[in-house]
Amino acid sequence: MQGLYRQIYERSLSQPEIFWAEAAEALHWDRKWDRVIDDSRAPFYAWFEGGKLNTCYNAVDRHVAVGRGSQPAIIHDSPVTGTKRTITFAELKDLTARFAGAMVQHGVRHGDRVIIYMPMVPEALVAMLACARIGAVHSVVFGGFAAHELATRIDDAKPVMIVAASCGIEPGRVVPYKPLLDRAIAEATHKPNHCIILAREQCEAELQAPRDLDWTAAMAAAHPVDCVPVDATDPLYILYTSGTTGQPKGVVRDNGGHATALLWSMRHIYGVEPGEVYWAASDVGWVVGHSYICYAPLLNGNTTIVYEGKPIGTPDAGAFWRVISEHKVSVMFTAPTAFRAIRKEDPEGDFVRQYDLSRFRTLFLAGERCDPDTLLWAEAQLGVPVIDHWWQTETGWAIAANPLGIEKLPVKPGSPTLPMPGYDVQILDEEGERVTKPGTIGAIVVKLPLPPSCLPTLWNADDRFRQAYLTRYPGYYLTGDAGYIDEDGYLFIMSRIDDIINVAGHRLSTGGMEEVLAGHPAVAECAVIGVADELKGELPMGFVVLQGGVTKPDEEIKKELVAKVRDEIGPVAAFKLVAVVKRLPKTRSGKILRGTMKSLADDKPWKMPATIDDPAILDEIAGDLRTLGYAKSFKKD
Ligand code: COA
Ligand code: AMP
């Protein structure tokens, strides 16, 4: 076991330049690179320096050129609108060339930023690919984020153009995007020159001339443009992700390293051949959507599915199986939370048996910790390998996985298996010493340099990049996750070491939520923690101490706080649990004991911190937690 994988992995570490140059050969390059990896600015690294290529050409035009034009590139399956639509590679080429032409006509140039705020419609991919076509840098903002979050991103990315749709559709409710967009632009200091709005029949958008343009009209008036070769090191996109404050981090992705690693991953990790149908049930607003709804499947010549629906309720818990059987999906990728939701509705798998899943080969799960129960249930129902793999926005592809395209390694439920090529994953203790004893928990780090596709830096924030990822352990990239490696080298991801929480596979910052709560006039002090949740993995829970003299009833304040987080961060934060408390537990130096509160809430073993200022506060907090349905077994040790 681990024979071929081990050989490939070790070669990637001992001869990275040869390894990645071979992988890059699978792409079309307009100019070959001068150096595979440029380490002259370490700890900043650049892949394929001197090379020129175009990501859109490689994802779309290249396939048309070799006769794949009539193959479906995108299948839009939208149970929330009751529609389905197929776009071939030839059609996708025409659409992206034309939309790129519309962008150029309205002033978008190489290196300009374009924000894309769209639901799960094929036009979101068209806009992304059109940016890549002309060397513009896209930044997709998830539709479940509120106007304020969009405004923050507008001010950081400074887009010349924003592409949006008139609305998104959630089960039972239409979400008008245009008012959110208008609010965000009004709030932001930076103003885009133009917005192109895709009108959907479920909701009209009011266009403000001359700034706003209609998608269909802009397309009709545009001349198609060709792919422009860009530097391999040019940014392809910026994707904002939660940091420790309300100011999100703009993860930068380059062109050459990204295309190389993603194409490699499709064959070697997911084991997918060109021509097959691949489905990532996520959203274009997340990194999974960028990598595995848009870029990787198209780079590999696969048909990708853009699914506008949920695992349950659209219309039932058989939704995934219908899509798999109807579109002949070979490999699927989603978050464990989707399977927990399906299992809750259909524990015996009655829906599974209603569909022909004979073409379906493998299920991949990522985005949050995959509990063994969920993995084993999915395996039993589907009768195919279920593969947990671990990665993050910063990397763009798996740090650890079971590389089915190389060999299937034994699955250990609870582990995303082994590190992928280029990732020298290590566990370090508090002092930065490498932990060698199997099973010892520590900070998970990756020895520099990171492999292709990983972030070269943060947008306009080299210092923040250094500070957030490279300073704690010099020479290593800090993943922000804690865990251990067992005696077979298998990795186990246990928790975050910062204040990031994972709600239904969505990465959120408790620090960001605290900033929102602290902005309420009645709040003197607050803390937000992530508590365990059976369905969503974690849920945010807020504790607020009120200012003296506040007379408003607690219940009213709580409602206002829930609405404030929804309004400023977005519904996706799922912030619904909040308690008004007299005081917060702190150390004598004034640090809030969030870790202890979390252990109490989750009924995990905990120790009275030696530095606690006043132990009696924990009794009060446990009482509040019990009122919210948590800390059922609280007792002081
Ligand atoms: N636009 C606007 N609102 C959105 C949205 C979007 N694109 N996506 C989610 N929301 C809203 C939802 O409507 C919901 O609002 P509500 O509080 O009014 O009900 C809220 O944000 C939370 O949404 P969600 O996290 O989807 O939870 P849910 O309770 O509606 O559904 C699951 C639970 C498990 C079915 C759902 O989380 C899911 O399908 N998860 C899959 C995970 C996934 O794709 N992760 C991506 C990373 S791989
Ligand atoms: P995101 O950047 O949104 O993809 O979130 C990345 C974070 O999600 C990681 O740093 C982990 O904390 C968590 N995560 C993702 N995949 C896994 C996994 N397979 N197992 C455990 N945690 C995961």
Side-chain angles (χ1 to χ4, degrees):
M1 272 303 163
Q2 294 192 21
L4 189 54
Y5 153 78
R6 184 60 53 199
Q7 219 178 309
I8 291 175
Y9 176 66
E10 274 163 13
R11 190 156 161 265
S12 79
L13 294 190
S14 61
Q15 302 178 319
E17 306 220 15
I18 298 173
F19 183 90
W20 290 113
E22 278 174 16
E25 293 290 351
L27 294 163
H28 171 85
W29 291 82
D30 297 288
R31 184 188 187 277
K32 275 280 163 64
W33 50 89
D34 298 323
R35 298 177 68 177
V36 178
I37 184 163
D38 175 9
D39 57 3
S40 59
R41 287 181 62 236
F44 294 85
Y45 297 88
W47 284 96
F48 304 107
E49 195 258 328
K52 278 188 180 287
L53 80 169
N54 185 284
T55 298
C56 179
Y57 181 83
N58 277 286
V60 183
D61 301 42
R62 181 170 61 114
H63 303 307
V64 179
V66 299
R68 226 174 246 293
S70 59
Q71 181 197 312
I74 298 174
I75 297 173
H76 182 222
D77 186 307
S78 170
V80 292
T81 58
T83 60
K84 286 173 206 160
R85 176 182 168 202
T86 299
I87 298 171
T88 64
F89 273 100
E91 288 164 343
L92 185 59
K93 180 183 163 192
D94 289 347
L95 288 168
T96 54
R98 197 167 274 280
F99 194 67
M103 291 202 294
V104 170
Q105 191 182 339
H106 294 288
V108 181
R109 302 277 174 267
H110 174 266
D112 285 345
R113 274 79 57 215
V114 174
I115 281 189
I116 300 171
Y117 186 56
M118 292 184 108
M120 286 294 286
V121 291
E123 287 80 0
L125 278 67
V126 169
M128 292 163 81
L129 292 160
C131 287
R133 201 170 182 88
I134 56 171
V137 182
H138 63 72
S139 187
V140 183
V141 178
F142 176 59
F145 280 127
H148 172 72
E149 290 288 322
L150 181 55
T152 312
R153 287 154 174 81
I154 292 173
D155 273 336
D156 198 70
K158 302 195 173 28
V160 297
M161 179 178 276
I162 299 183
V163 185
S166 60
C167 62
I169 296 147
E170 284 295 289
R173 124 184 111 96
V174 171
V175 184
Y177 278 18
K178 189 62 183 8
L180 295 171
L181 175 61
D182 288 340
R183 245 179 81 190
I185 295 175
E187 183 184 327
T189 312
H190 172 85
K191 310 289 176 196
N193 299 334
H194 287 292
C195 298
I196 299 189
I197 310 294
L198 174 77
R200 305 190 78 191
E201 65 181 45
Q202 292 76 13
C203 167
E204 259 183 53
E206 227 171 86
L207 302 188
Q208 294 175 25
R211 187 196 70 189
D212 298 343
L213 308 159
D214 171 66
W215 173 289
T216 310
M219 284 290 257
H223 299 290
V225 298
D226 267 340
C227 297
V228 179
V230 301
D231 286 346
T233 51
D234 275 352
L236 169 69
Y237 68 77
I238 307 165
L239 178 56
Y240 288 90
T241 189
S242 301
T244 47
T245 65
Q247 178 65 34
K249 300 187 217 169
V251 167
V252 174
R253 191 83 61 216
D254 66 7
N255 274 277
H258 173 251
T260 301
L262 259 56
L263 184 50
W264 188 92
S265 75
M266 283 306 279
R267 300 281 177 91
H268 298 91
I269 298 179
Y270 301 97
V272 194
E273 291 300 320
E276 291 193 289
V277 183
Y278 179 92
W279 178 26
S282 176
D283 189 287
V284 282
W286 307 114
V287 68
V288 175
H290 281 63
S291 293
Y292 293 105
I293 294 174
C294 184
Y295 288 111
L298 296 178
L299 284 165
N300 196 41
N302 294 116
T303 303
T304 183
I305 295 190
V306 173
Y307 175 69
E308 192 178 21
K310 302 268 174 178
I312 52 169
T314 57
D316 54 38
F320 278 10
W321 326 132
R322 175 192 65 76
V323 173
I324 291 175
S325 79
E326 201 173 313
H327 305 301
K328 303 186 173 49
V329 172
S330 300
V331 173
M332 182 191 185
F333 177 167
T334 192
T337 191
F339 269 75
R340 289 197 294 269
I342 295 169
R343 181 185 183 184
K344 205 166 153 212
E345 300 254 311
D346 184 23
E348 305 304 325
D350 293 336
F351 280 111
V352 184
R353 281 176 284 284
Q354 291 175 21
Y355 295 92
D356 172 13
L357 305 182
S358 54
R359 302 276 290 260
F360 186 50
R361 253 195 339 262
T362 325
L363 171 67
F364 281 84
L365 298 173
E368 57 176 326
R369 195 180 130 70
C370 180
D371 52 295
D373 252 17
T374 301
L375 186 133
L376 294 171
W377 181 82
E379 218 171 51
Q381 296 305 325
L382 297 169
V384 299
V386 178
I387 306 297
D388 179 14
H389 59 325
W390 167 63
W391 50 296
Q392 37 186 216
T393 306
E394 288 84 345
T395 65
W397 68 293
I399 310 172
N402 197 331
L404 290 209
I406 298 174
E407 63 177 319
K408 181 171 178 279
L409 302 168
V411 169
K412 291 195 191 189
S415 166
T417 317
L418 290 158
M420 287 299 92
Y423 291 104
D424 185 353
V425 179
Q426 302 185 12
I427 309 289
L428 301 185
D429 65 18
E430 291 273 303
E431 279 73 47
E433 292 300 319
R434 188 170 181 175
V435 169
T436 47
K437 193 163 158 257
T440 313
I441 293 190
I444 310 178
V445 297
V446 184
K447 194 162 181 291
L448 296 176
L450 293 168
S453 162
C454 294
L455 76 173
T457 189
L458 293 174
W459 182 250
N460 276 341
D462 282 353
D463 280 348
R464 190 174 182 200
F465 172 63
R466 221 188 257 270
Q467 208 54 42
Y469 301 104
L470 308 176
T471 306
R472 176 105 155 239
Y473 301 111
Y476 296 90
Y477 164 81
L478 187 71
T479 65
D481 285 312
Y484 65 88
I485 294 176
D486 77 0
E487 57 291 344
D488 298 320
Y490 277 53
L491 203 57
F492 287 77
I493 317 298
M494 304 309 288
S495 61
R496 291 285 305 188
I497 58 171
D498 50 20
D499 61 1
I500 282 170
I501 58 170
N502 202 311
V503 180
H506 309 319
R507 172 169 161 181
L508 298 162
S509 156
T510 53
M513 291 186 219
E514 288 179 4
E515 283 176 22
V516 174
L517 298 184
H520 189 288
V523 171
E525 242 197 325
C526 65
V528 175
I529 59 170
V531 295
D533 181 73
E534 252 182 34
L535 176 65
K536 297 198 176 188
E538 275 183 303
L539 278 179
M541 181 188 281
F543 298 85
V544 296
V545 179
L546 300 184
Q547 306 271 14
V550 171
T551 50
K552 215 182 248 182
D554 287 1
E555 284 313 308
E556 213 171 297
I557 291 175
K558 285 199 254 178
K559 271 198 202 123
E560 287 173 9
L561 292 170
V562 168
K564 193 163 161 36
V565 174
R566 192 179 173 91
D567 188 50
E568 291 184 32
I569 296 180
V572 72
F575 181 81
K576 290 179 181 153
L577 300 166
V578 57
V580 173
V581 297
K582 286 198 205 67
R583 10 185 223 161
L584 292 169
K586 290 186 184 169
T587 61
R588 279 188 287 275
S589 60
K591 214 167 160 261
I592 299 172
L593 291 161
R594 293 182 182 79
T596 310
M597 289 162 82
K598 180 172 168 50
S599 300
L600 278 180
D602 293 347
D603 287 311
K604 291 254 174 70
W606 62 283
K607 276 204 167 10
M608 180 64 74
T611 54
I612 193 165
D613 183 36
D614 177 2
I617 302 179
L618 287 183
D619 287 314
E620 295 170 20
I621 293 288
D624 293 316
L625 284 166
R626 264 197 300 274
T627 315
L628 292 168
Y630 290 80
K632 295 197 184 88
S633 64
F634 170 76
K635 59 179 180 343
K636 274 195 265 176
D637 65 351

mmCIF file of all heavy atoms in Angstrom, residues 574-598:
data_model
loop_
_atom_site.group_PDB
_atom_site.id
_atom_site.type_symbol
_atom_site.label_atom_id
_atom_site.label_comp_id
_atom_site.label_asym_id
_atom_site.label_seq_id
_atom_site.Cartn_x
_atom_site.Cartn_y
_atom_site.Cartn_z
ATOM 1 N N ALA A 574 -26.144 32.520 9.941
ATOM 2 C CA ALA A 574 -27.037 31.698 10.769
ATOM 3 C C ALA A 574 -26.902 32.065 12.250
ATOM 4 O O ALA A 574 -26.854 31.197 13.119
ATOM 5 C CB ALA A 574 -26.762 30.210 10.540
ATOM 6 N N PHE A 575 -26.832 33.361 12.519
ATOM 7 C CA PHE A 575 -26.679 33.825 13.906
ATOM 8 C C PHE A 575 -28.058 33.957 14.531
ATOM 9 O O PHE A 575 -28.819 34.854 14.202
ATOM 10 C CB PHE A 575 -25.936 35.168 13.919
ATOM 11 C CG PHE A 575 -25.723 35.711 15.305
ATOM 12 C CD1 PHE A 575 -24.674 35.247 16.086
ATOM 13 C CD2 PHE A 575 -26.572 36.677 15.838
ATOM 14 C CE1 PHE A 575 -24.475 35.742 17.373
ATOM 15 C CE2 PHE A 575 -26.383 37.167 17.118
ATOM 16 C CZ PHE A 575 -25.335 36.709 17.886
ATOM 17 N N LYS A 576 -28.373 33.004 15.432
ATOM 18 C CA LYS A 576 -29.708 33.025 16.034
ATOM 19 C C LYS A 576 -29.647 32.837 17.548
ATOM 20 O O LYS A 576 -30.619 33.064 18.238
ATOM 21 C CB LYS A 576 -30.581 31.940 15.399
ATOM 22 C CG LYS A 576 -30.918 32.333 13.941
ATOM 23 C CD LYS A 576 -31.750 31.360 13.172
ATOM 24 C CE LYS A 576 -31.950 31.924 11.770
ATOM 25 N NZ LYS A 576 -32.159 30.974 10.735
ATOM 26 N N LEU A 577 -28.506 32.365 18.073
ATOM 27 C CA LEU A 577 -28.387 32.079 19.500
ATOM 28 C C LEU A 577 -27.668 33.226 20.196
ATOM 29 O O LEU A 577 -26.516 33.530 19.880
ATOM 30 C CB LEU A 577 -27.577 30.792 19.708
ATOM 31 C CG LEU A 577 -28.139 29.510 19.086
ATOM 32 C CD1 LEU A 577 -27.087 28.419 19.081
ATOM 33 C CD2 LEU A 577 -29.379 29.070 19.866
ATOM 34 N N VAL A 578 -28.363 33.863 21.133
ATOM 35 C CA VAL A 578 -27.719 34.968 21.839
ATOM 36 C C VAL A 578 -28.242 35.048 23.279
ATOM 37 O O VAL A 578 -29.406 34.783 23.527
ATOM 38 C CB VAL A 578 -27.902 36.300 21.055
ATOM 39 C CG1 VAL A 578 -29.347 36.624 20.821
ATOM 40 C CG2 VAL A 578 -27.209 37.463 21.728
ATOM 41 N N ALA A 579 -27.345 35.347 24.206
ATOM 42 C CA ALA A 579 -27.734 35.473 25.612
ATOM 43 C C ALA A 579 -27.251 36.813 26.147
ATOM 44 O O ALA A 579 -26.156 37.258 25.810
ATOM 45 C CB ALA A 579 -27.113 34.338 26.422
ATOM 46 N N VAL A 580 -28.108 37.423 26.957
ATOM 47 C CA VAL A 580 -27.677 38.640 27.652
ATOM 48 C C VAL A 580 -27.147 38.179 29.011
ATOM 49 O O VAL A 580 -27.846 37.489 29.748
ATOM 50 C CB VAL A 580 -28.859 39.620 27.835
ATOM 51 C CG1 VAL A 580 -28.439 40.796 28.712
ATOM 52 C CG2 VAL A 580 -29.353 40.106 26.481
ATOM 53 N N VAL A 581 -25.884 38.482 29.301
ATOM 54 C CA VAL A 581 -25.281 38.012 30.551
ATOM 55 C C VAL A 581 -24.815 39.223 31.377
ATOM 56 O O VAL A 581 -24.646 40.318 30.845
ATOM 57 C CB VAL A 581 -24.084 37.063 30.277
ATOM 58 C CG1 VAL A 581 -24.548 35.814 29.554
ATOM 59 C CG2 VAL A 581 -22.988 37.752 29.470
ATOM 60 N N LYS A 582 -24.599 38.949 32.685
ATOM 61 C CA LYS A 582 -24.176 40.073 33.544
ATOM 62 C C LYS A 582 -22.715 40.399 33.312
ATOM 63 O O LYS A 582 -22.280 41.521 33.355
ATOM 64 C CB LYS A 582 -24.404 39.704 35.000
ATOM 65 C CG LYS A 582 -25.874 39.733 35.379
ATOM 66 C CD LYS A 582 -26.009 39.792 36.901
ATOM 67 C CE LYS A 582 -27.330 39.224 37.352
ATOM 68 N NZ LYS A 582 -27.484 37.767 37.119
ATOM 69 N N ARG A 583 -21.892 39.351 33.109
ATOM 70 C CA ARG A 583 -20.465 39.558 32.884
ATOM 71 C C ARG A 583 -19.924 38.391 32.080
ATOM 72 O O ARG A 583 -20.572 37.339 31.983
ATOM 73 C CB ARG A 583 -19.689 39.670 34.200
ATOM 74 C CG ARG A 583 -20.526 39.301 35.382
ATOM 75 C CD ARG A 583 -19.912 39.483 36.703
ATOM 76 N NE ARG A 583 -20.294 38.274 37.448
ATOM 77 C CZ ARG A 583 -19.710 37.827 38.511
ATOM 78 N NH1 ARG A 583 -18.654 38.441 38.986
ATOM 79 N NH2 ARG A 583 -20.148 36.746 39.116
ATOM 80 N N LEU A 584 -18.731 38.567 31.547
ATOM 81 C CA LEU A 584 -18.097 37.509 30.759
ATOM 82 C C LEU A 584 -16.945 36.915 31.559
ATOM 83 O O LEU A 584 -16.256 37.642 32.279
ATOM 84 C CB LEU A 584 -17.543 38.088 29.447
ATOM 85 C CG LEU A 584 -18.584 38.561 28.431
ATOM 86 C CD1 LEU A 584 -17.909 39.356 27.312
ATOM 87 C CD2 LEU A 584 -19.347 37.381 27.850
ATOM 88 N N PRO A 585 -16.727 35.593 31.442
ATOM 89 C CA PRO A 585 -15.591 35.011 32.169
ATOM 90 C C PRO A 585 -14.277 35.473 31.552
ATOM 91 O O PRO A 585 -14.127 35.436 30.328
ATOM 92 C CB PRO A 585 -15.788 33.496 31.978
ATOM 93 C CG PRO A 585 -16.633 33.358 30.776
ATOM 94 C CD PRO A 585 -17.447 34.607 30.632
ATOM 95 N N LYS A 586 -13.362 35.911 32.399
ATOM 96 C CA LYS A 586 -12.094 36.454 31.885
ATOM 97 C C LYS A 586 -10.923 35.972 32.731
ATOM 98 O O LYS A 586 -11.105 35.579 33.889
ATOM 99 C CB LYS A 586 -12.124 37.981 31.960
ATOM 100 C CG LYS A 586 -13.065 38.612 30.985
ATOM 101 C CD LYS A 586 -12.923 40.110 31.041
ATOM 102 C CE LYS A 586 -13.941 40.751 30.128
ATOM 103 N NZ LYS A 586 -14.053 42.160 30.303
ATOM 104 N N THR A 587 -9.746 36.086 32.126
ATOM 105 C CA THR A 587 -8.529 35.863 32.912
ATOM 106 C C THR A 587 -8.256 37.135 33.712
ATOM 107 O O THR A 587 -8.858 38.179 33.437
ATOM 108 C CB THR A 587 -7.310 35.613 32.006
ATOM 109 O OG1 THR A 587 -7.126 36.775 31.206
ATOM 110 C CG2 THR A 587 -7.509 34.407 31.099
ATOM 111 N N ARG A 588 -7.315 37.042 34.647
ATOM 112 C CA ARG A 588 -6.999 38.225 35.455
ATOM 113 C C ARG A 588 -6.460 39.356 34.589
ATOM 114 O O ARG A 588 -6.571 40.521 34.915
ATOM 115 C CB ARG A 588 -6.021 37.860 36.570
ATOM 116 C CG ARG A 588 -6.758 37.217 37.752
ATOM 117 C CD ARG A 588 -5.859 37.030 38.949
ATOM 118 N NE ARG A 588 -4.907 35.942 38.746
ATOM 119 C CZ ARG A 588 -5.177 34.667 38.988
ATOM 120 N NH1 ARG A 588 -6.359 34.316 39.453
ATOM 121 N NH2 ARG A 588 -4.273 33.735 38.776
ATOM 122 N N SER A 589 -5.882 38.971 33.418
ATOM 123 C CA SER A 589 -5.363 40.032 32.538
ATOM 124 C C SER A 589 -6.438 40.543 31.568
ATOM 125 O O SER A 589 -6.158 41.341 30.680
ATOM 126 C CB SER A 589 -4.148 39.526 31.765
ATOM 127 O OG SER A 589 -4.532 38.421 30.978
ATOM 128 N N GLY A 590 -7.678 40.041 31.731
ATOM 129 C CA GLY A 590 -8.787 40.610 30.967
ATOM 130 C C GLY A 590 -9.105 39.897 29.659
ATOM 131 O O GLY A 590 -9.901 40.390 28.864
ATOM 132 N N LYS A 591 -8.502 38.724 29.436
ATOM 133 C CA LYS A 591 -8.770 37.997 28.194
ATOM 134 C C LYS A 591 -10.043 37.159 28.367
ATOM 135 O O LYS A 591 -10.168 36.402 29.338
ATOM 136 C CB LYS A 591 -7.578 37.069 27.919
ATOM 137 C CG LYS A 591 -7.298 36.900 26.483
ATOM 138 C CD LYS A 591 -5.937 36.243 26.257
ATOM 139 C CE LYS A 591 -5.926 35.668 24.897
ATOM 140 N NZ LYS A 591 -6.163 34.293 24.723
ATOM 141 N N ILE A 592 -10.978 37.275 27.423
ATOM 142 C CA ILE A 592 -12.238 36.514 27.542
ATOM 143 C C ILE A 592 -11.955 35.026 27.311
ATOM 144 O O ILE A 592 -11.259 34.657 26.354
ATOM 145 C CB ILE A 592 -13.293 37.023 26.530
ATOM 146 C CG1 ILE A 592 -13.617 38.488 26.810
ATOM 147 C CG2 ILE A 592 -14.554 36.172 26.585
ATOM 148 C CD1 ILE A 592 -14.496 39.159 25.767
ATOM 149 N N LEU A 593 -12.498 34.179 28.181
ATOM 150 C CA LEU A 593 -12.207 32.730 28.113
ATOM 151 C C LEU A 593 -13.172 32.042 27.147
ATOM 152 O O LEU A 593 -14.039 31.253 27.548
ATOM 153 C CB LEU A 593 -12.295 32.133 29.519
ATOM 154 C CG LEU A 593 -11.161 32.589 30.456
ATOM 155 C CD1 LEU A 593 -11.531 32.367 31.908
ATOM 156 C CD2 LEU A 593 -9.871 31.854 30.108
ATOM 157 N N ARG A 594 -13.013 32.323 25.860
ATOM 158 C CA ARG A 594 -13.929 31.769 24.863
ATOM 159 C C ARG A 594 -13.813 30.244 24.779
ATOM 160 O O ARG A 594 -14.811 29.547 24.603
ATOM 161 C CB ARG A 594 -13.644 32.377 23.491
ATOM 162 C CG ARG A 594 -13.972 33.851 23.410
ATOM 163 C CD ARG A 594 -13.714 34.385 22.016
ATOM 164 N NE ARG A 594 -13.990 35.808 21.932
ATOM 165 C CZ ARG A 594 -13.181 36.759 22.360
ATOM 166 N NH1 ARG A 594 -12.026 36.453 22.908
ATOM 167 N NH2 ARG A 594 -13.511 38.028 22.259
ATOM 168 N N GLY A 595 -12.572 29.739 24.895
ATOM 169 C CA GLY A 595 -12.342 28.288 24.794
ATOM 170 C C GLY A 595 -13.090 27.545 25.890
ATOM 171 O O GLY A 595 -13.723 26.517 25.648
ATOM 172 N N THR A 596 -13.048 28.091 27.098
ATOM 173 C CA THR A 596 -13.730 27.440 28.222
ATOM 174 C C THR A 596 -15.241 27.483 27.999
ATOM 175 O O THR A 596 -15.953 26.498 28.236
ATOM 176 C CB THR A 596 -13.371 28.159 29.549
ATOM 177 O OG1 THR A 596 -11.955 28.290 29.605
ATOM 178 C CG2 THR A 596 -13.879 27.405 30.751
ATOM 179 N N MET A 597 -15.734 28.615 27.508
ATOM 180 C CA MET A 597 -17.178 28.737 27.245
ATOM 181 C C MET A 597 -17.612 27.703 26.212
ATOM 182 O O MET A 597 -18.665 27.081 26.317
ATOM 183 C CB MET A 597 -17.506 30.148 26.739
ATOM 184 C CG MET A 597 -17.387 31.205 27.822
ATOM 185 S SD MET A 597 -17.261 32.856 27.101
ATOM 186 C CE MET A 597 -18.951 33.237 26.774
ATOM 187 N N LYS A 598 -16.769 27.512 25.212
ATOM 188 C CA LYS A 598 -17.104 26.557 24.146
ATOM 189 C C LYS A 598 -17.135 25.125 24.695
ATOM 190 O O LYS A 598 -18.050 24.356 24.394
ATOM 191 C CB LYS A 598 -16.077 26.671 23.013
ATOM 192 C CG LYS A 598 -16.340 25.724 21.872
ATOM 193 C CD LYS A 598 -15.436 25.995 20.696
ATOM 194 C CE LYS A 598 -15.490 24.865 19.681
ATOM 195 N NZ LYS A 598 -16.838 24.446 19.276
#
